[in-house]
Amino acid sequence: MSLKTYQKKRKFVGKGKTIEPKGEIKKSISKQLRFVIHEHHASHLHWDLRLEMNGVLKSWAVPKVPPATKGIKRLAMHVEDHPLSYINFHGVIPEGNYGAGKVLIWDKGKYNLVEQNSNKIIFELHGKKLKGKYALIKTSYGAKSGKSWLFFKL
Ligand code: MN
């Protein structure tokens, strides 16, 4: 777990700095895991799925609206870990910063981890919009192989 990439990409001090949390890795592991999905109006609108895992938020950028029903598979690009405090973050990231634009909380809630290995995460979401069992499966699809996952409802 590391927030190095997260912190390196962002400017936390000085004029025009980001309003995002600098964050730190939480040492104790929560019993009740949480998730958030941000709707991020950056240069390209996307959704950021973030799952609390080992003291950070494991994050995936989803280019299309996350599926509330079965039968829709979304590409999910694995991105850098975010600090847990990002779970409540929303606002407008100022121009000139990484990911500049409006960030809204699209959905959030608790989740349960059902199964996990290096290529697969099965989890049950208890959100307002997304409820039930979901899968993240690593795929070789796309140019950035190794970062591409599929996100869908089971
Ligand atoms: Mn984003």
Side-chain angles (χ1 to χ4, degrees):
M1 301 310 127
S2 172
L3 295 175
K4 263 190 195 144
T5 307
Y6 171 86
Q7 289 169 344
K8 208 179 281 176
K9 284 183 170 186
R10 291 165 175 83
K11 188 184 163 197
F12 296 102
V13 290
K15 203 173 164 230
K17 67 180 181 189
T18 187
I19 57 165
E20 297 162 288
K22 186 156 187 276
E24 52 187 37
I25 295 174
K26 208 178 137 222
K27 298 270 159 55
S28 62
I29 304 303
S30 315
K31 281 191 187 124
Q32 181 55 70
L33 300 169
R34 296 165 298 161
F35 81 97
V36 66
I37 299 175
H38 286 113
E39 180 182 318
H40 190 178
H41 295 255
S43 50
H44 295 281
L45 172 65
H46 62 273
W47 286 259
D48 290 299
L49 167 66
R50 308 189 197 282
L51 301 176
E52 179 177 359
M53 237 174 234
N54 303 319
V56 295
L57 294 173
K58 288 279 161 199
S59 298
W60 289 262
V62 182
K64 291 182 180 172
V65 67
T69 54
K70 290 180 199 176
I72 302 162
K73 284 193 169 78
R74 293 295 190 226
L75 185 65
M77 299 305 291
H78 191 213
V79 296
E80 75 274 17
D81 294 348
H82 279 51
L84 268 188
S85 50
Y86 213 91
I87 211 155
N88 296 312
F89 173 75
H90 58 93
V92 179
I93 301 171
E95 276 307 313
N97 284 282
Y98 179 72
K102 200 202 292 174
V103 179
L104 307 166
I105 292 176
W106 185 80
D107 199 11
K108 70 186 286 191
K110 294 170 178 172
Y111 86 94
N112 298 100
L113 201 52
V114 176
E115 196 187 329
Q116 184 183 21
N117 61 42
S118 55
N119 299 312
K120 176 166 101 173
I121 307 169
I122 309 291
F123 49 103
E124 191 168 13
L125 296 178
H126 307 285
K128 288 209 171 81
K129 290 192 173 100
L130 299 193
K131 297 170 201 284
K133 259 189 199 169
Y134 278 81
L136 273 165
I137 309 281
K138 224 181 213 176
T139 168
S140 54
Y141 175 85
K144 285 187 186 174
S145 63
K147 302 243 177 211
S148 302
W149 295 62
L150 289 172
F151 174 50
F152 55 95
K153 188 170 190 182
L154 294 171

